[in-house]
Amino acid sequence: MNTQINQDAPRVGFVSLGCPKASSDAEHILTRLRSEGYEISPSYDEADLVVVNTCGFIDAAVEESLEAIGEALAENGKVIVTGCLGARDDVVLAAHPQVLAVTGPHATEEVMQAVHKHLPKPHHPFIDLLPPQGVRLTPPHYAYLKISEGCNHRCTFCIIPSLRGDLVSRPIHEVMREAETLAAAGVKELLVISQDTSAYGVDVKYRTGFWGGKPVRTRLLDLARALGELGIWIRMHYVYPYPSVDELIPLMAEGKILPYLDVPFQHASPRILKAMKRPANAENVLERVRKWRSICPELTIRSTFITGFPGETEDDFEQLLQFLDEAQLDRVGAFAYSPVEGAAANELPAAVPAEVREERRMRLMSFQEDISTQRLEARIGSEMTVLVDEVDEDGALARSPGDAPEIDGLVIIPDGEDLEVGDFVRVRITDCDIHDLYAERVEQGGA
């Protein structure tokens, strides 16, 4: 990519908040901006206007987004708002009526129209302003690959469908073209994301597409097989535990994709799962987890849970702890229930006091801490290939196949100061703490 700044080009500042799906939206917008000759400004005072990509999933995210918009207005004065909170333009405009425009999520065209209106594009953009892989917010060695938009679920605690709409799967040839371009650009790990990764292709009845001259169905198994041929790490996120997920596990055992599943279970009490409008059979989930691990013993499972959902009793919460004890999940995140404006759960009876919600969250994390630590301890003495994220004079920070960037743990390599970011390296695990592994180099190898 040409790093020389065109001093005469119009400059756009960019602030991006929220989840990887929001980051993926941001990357599409940034790619369009750069392809049309706009410069991306690193500061408010050098920008001609600022785009703020917001999050609106929970109240805390709404507050953070409104603060970010206010800061951009105070520092620059010209602000375009996009992202999930943008779908609630009344909230944005009530707090900041002076913004130039408000658009919802995955709205690249609408954002560009607003930019063109308030900051006309250059007449002669150079072809070398944009690398083939587009503009990325992630480091060069990993990237998010979004395979669909929206969600067909109507979970009572969630307003994502009202923000992002129903499921719309990307054509499989388009997904594979992006994946191949990223791999050719040096990306070593693709993180497959969507609101509901397991449902990929449901909306188009698993339509057959073509890639590399061969027919490929628009469904997760076929996509995983095709991605597995790229020779890089493929990591699956936001995978609902449908029966079709079982088909992925042999691919993991064969080393085609990483032995990693990010499955948002949310709870284990059948009564609470029913109130959430989630699948309500924890016993079947436990049996399937056991089956997955029998096929692929190296499988890492991460999940998230909500404590203090309306109507949750102490018995419901104990059922959740019992589930964690039996499931022995590797990585767990927990959130105290937060009422979200527009969510159906707000109307449910028997609201749990805020202090009880938080107390249960802390108890869950304390309970899970021992399980996670024991599972890390079981890796001591084993060898594995890791991917290097950072290097300095104190060594290297890497990730194992069981660690996604930013949300999971690290593999700390004290003798890795001569490694390079993006290297795959073979290590032996020597120790661990609550979250991270410590390792020594064995030999440097490929993926």
Side-chain angles (χ1 to χ4, degrees):
M1 182 175 178
N2 183 3
T3 57
Q4 185 174 2
I5 294 176
N6 180 358
Q7 299 295 335
D8 297 325
R11 299 186 177 196
V12 178
F14 207 96
V15 178
S16 187
L17 307 173
C19 66
K21 292 175 284 297
S23 296
S24 181
D25 288 348
E27 289 170 345
H28 284 291
I29 297 169
L30 288 166
T31 295
R32 279 288 300 277
L33 287 167
R34 291 290 286 128
S35 70
E36 293 188 8
Y38 291 93
E39 293 289 347
I40 307 304
S41 173
S43 64
Y44 289 122
D45 56 354
E46 295 180 1
D48 296 301
L49 62 77
V50 177
V51 176
V52 180
N53 187 31
T54 60
C55 180
F57 183 52
I58 60 175
D59 288 349
V62 171
E63 183 178 344
E64 181 184 16
S65 293
L66 291 176
E67 288 179 356
I69 296 167
E71 178 180 307
L73 284 168
E75 296 292 333
N76 182 275
K78 296 182 178 180
V79 176
I80 295 169
V81 177
T82 187
C84 283
L85 185 58
R88 300 162 63 188
D89 57 353
D90 57 327
V91 174
V92 175
L93 293 173
H96 301 295
Q98 65 272 49
V99 296
L100 300 177
V102 182
T103 78
H106 53 92
T108 302
E109 289 301 326
E110 291 87 342
V111 172
M112 293 308 300
Q113 289 172 14
V115 172
H116 293 158
K117 178 180 179 181
H118 297 283
L119 188 62
K121 64 179 179 180
H123 294 295
H124 303 290
F126 293 101
I127 193 68
D128 61 352
L129 286 176
L130 188 68
Q133 72 272 22
V135 177
R136 294 281 157 180
L137 299 177
T138 51
H141 63 291
Y142 69 82
Y144 293 103
L145 181 68
K146 185 159 60 171
I147 64 173
S148 66
E149 292 287 358
C151 182
N152 288 342
H153 291 285
R154 294 298 182 265
C155 302
T156 56
F157 56 82
C158 181
I159 60 171
I160 291 297
S162 67
L163 298 177
R164 290 184 169 260
D166 289 335
L167 175 72
V168 179
S169 299
R170 293 179 64 192
I172 194 162
H173 71 274
E174 181 181 301
V175 175
M176 286 305 303
R177 182 170 60 242
E178 181 179 351
E180 189 173 60
T181 300
L182 289 167
V187 168
K188 303 295 183 64
E189 176 182 8
L190 289 176
L191 299 102
V192 178
I193 60 170
S194 67
Q195 294 299 142
D196 179 2
T197 298
S198 307
Y200 178 64
V202 167
D203 57 312
V204 295
K205 298 181 171 55
Y206 306 116
R207 177 187 302 146
T208 298
F210 289 88
W211 176 251
K214 299 178 181 178
V216 186
R217 294 182 69 192
T218 308
R219 65 169 182 160
L220 186 58
L221 176 62
D222 296 69
L223 176 62
R225 284 175 176 156
L227 292 172
E229 297 301 317
L230 296 177
I232 59 177
W233 278 9
I234 307 297
R235 188 182 302 277
M236 296 291 173
H237 283 277
Y238 315 120
V239 179
Y240 280 71
Y242 305 145
S244 60
V245 175
D246 298 349
E247 300 173 319
L248 295 178
I249 308 304
L251 293 181
M252 296 178 181
E254 296 165 13
K256 298 293 187 182
I257 63 176
L258 289 179
Y260 180 97
L261 280 178
D262 177 2
V263 187
F265 291 124
Q266 305 298 12
H267 214 283
S269 162
R271 196 178 66 83
I272 297 301
L273 286 168
K274 184 177 181 180
M276 290 178 168
K277 292 192 175 180
R278 306 281 290 185
N281 196 327
E283 292 77 12
N284 283 355
V285 169
L286 285 169
E287 182 55 38
R288 292 180 66 211
V289 167
R290 295 186 188 104
K291 182 180 178 182
W292 293 344
R293 285 184 169 144
S294 71
I295 297 170
C296 183
E298 299 301 313
L299 177 64
T300 294
I301 304 175
R302 95 167 325 274
S303 190
T304 52
F305 297 90
I306 297 173
T307 62
F309 189 79
E312 183 189 65
T313 64
E314 185 63 26
D315 179 65
D316 293 318
F317 181 69
E318 288 296 332
Q319 289 182 56
L320 175 51
L321 296 184
Q322 180 64 29
F323 172 84
L324 291 175
D325 187 50
E326 295 186 44
Q328 293 287 295
L329 303 179
D330 299 89
R331 303 286 193 183
V332 166
F335 302 89
Y337 173 75
S338 173
V340 179
E341 184 179 346
N346 298 344
E347 307 303 320
L348 294 175
V352 178
E355 61 272 16
V356 177
R357 294 180 233 154
E358 177 60 21
E359 184 268 338
R360 288 176 181 169
R361 186 194 70 81
M362 294 177 65
R363 280 167 59 194
L364 185 152
M365 293 308 295
S366 177
F367 185 88
Q368 174 64 32
E369 188 176 283
D370 290 338
I371 296 172
S372 296
T373 302
Q374 289 169 16
R375 294 195 65 80
L376 289 178
E377 287 174 342
R379 298 187 185 187
I380 296 175
S382 66
E383 292 186 8
M384 63 180 65
T385 298
V386 299
L387 178 59
V388 177
D389 278 345
E390 297 180 30
V391 179
D392 61 23
E393 65 275 7
D394 296 321
L397 299 180
R399 288 180 292 107
S400 76
D403 297 309
E406 299 185 357
I407 57 174
D408 293 325
L410 296 168
V411 179
I412 300 166
I413 312 171
D415 62 344
E417 66 278 355
D418 60 333
L419 294 171
E420 299 287 338
V421 171
D423 280 349
F424 285 109
V425 61
R426 194 73 180 169
V427 299
R428 181 181 298 108
I429 305 304
T430 59
D431 201 356
C432 75
D433 55 27
I434 296 173
H435 302 291
D436 303 322
L437 296 168
Y438 294 81
E440 60 186 10
R441 293 163 63 179
V442 177
E443 59 178 327
Q444 187 168 333

